[in-house]
């Protein structure tokens, strides 16, 4: 493989017999305009929602809507299923269907069956389903040549910088702005091609002693928002269905309260009801005849 370096010794372009790539990670796409933003350590971050508290507001809405919470919980458990089974594509059958063979690597199987991955797996699906975004954190060893595990950062506490190079984590956006002693900022890999960015950092020795790097957010694919994707259930909220779901229990509670205040509860048997009905029809017919 041939690698072209700049004057500072950093690799810029690499070429091989079957591949060609660049380590330049600047994105040329135009990002959406962000009116709500805040600053921390001389860097601007995009606010999540008008008051920068969308996850907290969404959490309250989900918690107070029994149908929504049950549905999202079921969806997360369906996505998690029975875990992950690592396989490789060995070929194709006569109907052009992929043929899978199981992976036997001990390190891979041990990681996928371990608690850290299960914890990340469930937390990532939870945040992706509830808030439309998940924020993985890659944890490295001291030498920076191996990813030890993937940690799930709580999406409620994460905010993205305007240039998408930093991820800020603070646990109380609902009550205050980020505080220096209670805030952690991570470098974030390039959103367009995080794997080339990771390779560039490794080749230049920038992973040694880094501790952890934020992986670009995992987002709801159907949302076009550039910074924070909208969850699927938000359309139900904007159309008023969640408000209706809130009113149904109130209506039933009021109905039960009114039922307790009834003075008389009259039970009329079916035979007697038919007789009274026929008498009413007969009286009405006679009245009309006389008139």
């Amino acid at each position: 493989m041939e690698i072209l370096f700049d004057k500072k010794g950093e690799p810029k372009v690499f070429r091989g017999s079957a591949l060609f790539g660049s380590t330049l990670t600047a994105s040329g796409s135009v990002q959406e305009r962000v009116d709500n933003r805040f600053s921390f350590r001389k860097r601007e971050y995009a606010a999540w929602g008008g008051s920068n508290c969308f996850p907290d507001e969404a959490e309250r809405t989900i918690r107070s809507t029994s149908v929504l919470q049950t549905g999202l919980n079921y969806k997360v458990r369906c996505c998690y299923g029975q875990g992950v089974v690592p396989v490789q594509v060995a070929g194709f059958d006569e109907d052009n269907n992929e043929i899978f063979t199981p992976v036997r690597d001990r390190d891979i199987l041990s990681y996928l069956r371990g608690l850290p991955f299960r914890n990340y797996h469930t937390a990532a699906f939870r945040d992706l389903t509830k808030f439309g975004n998940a924020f993985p954190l890659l944890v490295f060893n001291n030498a920076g040549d191996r990813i030890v595990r993937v940690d799930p950062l709580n999406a409620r506490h994460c905010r993205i910088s305007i240039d998408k190079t930093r991820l800020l984590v603070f646990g109380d956006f609902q009550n205050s702005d980020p505080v220096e002693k209670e805030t952690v900022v991570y470098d974030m890999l390039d959103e367009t091609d995080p794997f080339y960015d990771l390779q560039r950092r490794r080749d230049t020795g920038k992973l040694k002693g880094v501790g952890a790097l934020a992986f670009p957010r995992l987002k709801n694919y159907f949302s076009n928002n550039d910074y924070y994707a909208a969850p699927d259930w938000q359309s139900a909220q904007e159309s008023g269905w969640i408000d209706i779901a809130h009113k149904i229990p109130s209506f039933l509670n009021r109905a039960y309260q009114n039922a307790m205040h009834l003075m008389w509860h009259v039970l009329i048997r079916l035979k007697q009801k038919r007789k009274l009905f026929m008498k009413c029809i007969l009286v009405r017919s006679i009245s009309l005849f006389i008139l």
Side-chain angles (χ1 to χ4, degrees):
M1 179 185 293
E2 297 181 6
I3 303 177
L4 300 180
F5 297 86
D6 61 8
K7 295 180 180 180
K8 297 180 180 179
E10 295 185 0
K12 295 300 180 183
V13 179
F14 55 91
R15 180 180 62 185
S17 59
L19 58 89
F20 176 84
S22 172
T23 61
L24 300 177
T25 59
S27 176
S29 63
V30 178
Q31 303 294 336
E32 65 188 15
R33 178 178 175 179
V34 180
D35 295 325
N36 298 320
R37 58 181 70 187
F38 64 96
S39 298
F40 183 77
R41 295 177 186 172
K42 299 181 180 181
R43 187 180 296 272
E44 289 190 325
Y45 292 83
W48 196 347
S51 58
N52 199 19
C53 294
F54 173 80
D56 298 291
E57 296 168 355
E59 182 72 20
R60 287 194 296 271
T61 300
I62 294 171
R63 189 170 58 247
S64 62
T65 311
S66 59
V67 176
L68 181 59
Q69 177 161 303
T70 303
L72 295 181
N73 184 17
Y74 180 77
K75 184 177 180 180
V76 171
R77 288 189 284 114
C78 284
C79 290
Y80 179 78
Q82 296 181 350
V84 175
V85 178
V87 296
Q88 289 180 329
V89 179
F92 299 89
D93 59 16
E94 296 179 354
D95 297 327
N96 205 30
N97 297 316
E98 295 177 336
I99 300 175
F100 299 106
T101 58
V103 174
R104 306 293 185 182
D105 188 277
R106 286 187 176 182
D107 291 337
I108 295 177
L109 293 177
S110 177
Y111 173 70
L112 293 180
R113 293 170 181 172
L115 180 61
F117 177 76
R118 291 178 181 271
N119 184 33
Y120 162 73
H121 197 182
T122 53
F125 275 127
R126 177 202 66 199
D127 290 347
L128 192 61
T129 304
K130 293 173 70 174
F131 308 129
N133 302 268
F135 298 91
L137 184 69
L138 306 181
V139 181
F140 298 86
N141 60 2
N142 292 331
D145 58 358
R146 186 181 180 88
I147 298 175
V148 178
R149 66 179 185 274
V150 182
D151 283 349
L153 293 173
N154 193 330
R156 290 179 63 185
H157 307 152
C158 297
R159 300 295 185 270
I160 304 172
S161 64
I162 297 297
D163 58 4
K164 293 188 176 182
T165 61
R166 299 290 189 276
L167 182 68
L168 183 146
V169 182
F170 175 63
D172 196 17
F173 281 105
Q174 189 173 3
N175 297 314
S176 67
D177 294 329
V179 181
E180 184 68 33
K181 295 182 179 180
E182 301 175 3
T183 304
V184 180
V185 178
Y186 296 101
D187 284 351
M188 188 162 63
L189 294 173
D190 177 62
E191 186 178 44
T192 305
D193 200 338
F195 298 105
Y196 279 136
D197 190 10
L198 188 63
Q199 180 74 25
R200 175 183 65 85
R201 293 171 186 260
R202 189 187 70 173
D203 293 340
T204 56
K206 293 182 178 180
L207 294 181
K208 187 175 182 179
V210 71
L213 281 176
F215 193 84
R217 57 163 185 153
L218 304 178
K219 65 174 183 176
N220 178 12
Y221 79 97
F222 201 64
S223 174
N224 287 84
N225 296 347
D226 289 333
Y227 287 93
Y228 306 105
D232 290 330
W233 60 266
Q234 192 172 4
S235 60
Q237 183 181 32
E238 293 178 355
S239 61
W241 285 110
I242 291 181
D243 292 335
I244 294 176
H246 286 170
K247 292 176 181 179
I248 291 175
S250 300
F251 173 79
L252 294 178
N253 287 333
R254 181 63 64 181
Y256 280 115
Q257 291 176 7
N258 291 337
M260 293 300 178
H261 290 83
L262 293 177
M263 181 175 295
W264 301 103
H265 185 193
V266 180
L267 176 62
I268 302 177
R269 295 186 179 183
L270 184 59
K271 291 183 179 180
Q272 188 176 2
K273 185 176 181 180
R274 288 177 177 174
K275 291 181 179 179
L276 292 174
F277 180 73
M278 294 304 295
K279 288 182 179 180
C280 290
I281 293 179
L282 181 59
V283 171
R284 187 175 181 182
S285 300
I286 293 173
S287 301
L288 291 175
F289 178 75
I290 295 174
L291 293 175

